[in-house]
């Protein structure tokens, strides 16, 4: 079960990359020793050396355009309140 959750986390990162880039060809490979690689298309050379799960997810998350975090007026006001509350007097 743990291996399945690991693969799900890695494949979810790849799906987010596909959505950000519009390139549906990205493919994840899991090696026999549990490491992960990414290629632009199945069967093509990997874009990275085999990586542990956390390193693989970080690598994939850095690729392509990054999603801009939407900030509402309420978020801005909430941040201001936090700063005021946490300021030493």
């Amino acid at each position: 079960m743990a291996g399945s959750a690991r693969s799900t986390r890695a494949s979810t990162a790849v799906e987010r990359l596909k959505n950000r880039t519009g390139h549906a060809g990205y493919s994840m490979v899991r090696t026999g020793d549990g490491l992960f690689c990414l290629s632009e298309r199945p069967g093509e050379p990997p874009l990275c050396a085999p990586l542990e799960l956390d390193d693989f997810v970080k690598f994939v998350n850095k690729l392509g355009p990054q999603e801009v975090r939407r900030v509402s007026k309420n978020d801005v006001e909430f941040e201001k309140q936090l700063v005021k509350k946490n300021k030493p007097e």
Side-chain angles (χ1 to χ4, degrees):
M1 182 76 168
S4 175
R6 291 169 46 87
S7 293
T8 300
R9 185 167 164 227
S11 62
T12 300
V14 174
E15 287 303 315
R16 285 192 308 267
L17 175 62
K18 290 177 181 181
N19 290 333
R20 284 195 317 269
T21 62
H23 177 43
Y26 284 110
S27 177
M28 175 190 77
V29 175
R30 186 163 182 200
T31 65
D33 52 356
L35 300 177
F36 297 88
C37 296
L38 179 72
S39 64
E40 287 196 75
R41 297 196 190 319
E44 287 192 7
L47 299 172
C48 62
L51 299 168
E52 293 285 338
L53 176 64
D54 290 338
D55 294 330
F56 177 78
V57 171
K58 287 177 189 174
F59 173 78
V60 172
N61 286 343
K62 288 181 182 179
L63 293 177
Q66 300 300 302
E67 291 182 7
V68 178
R69 184 176 159 241
R70 294 184 59 171
V71 180
S72 71
K73 290 179 185 178
N74 290 337
D75 293 331
V76 172
E77 290 302 316
F78 181 70
E79 291 290 328
K80 287 180 184 177
Q81 292 298 319
L82 286 177
V83 170
K84 286 180 185 176
K85 182 179 179 180
N86 292 327
K87 267 189 176 176
E89 297 190 33

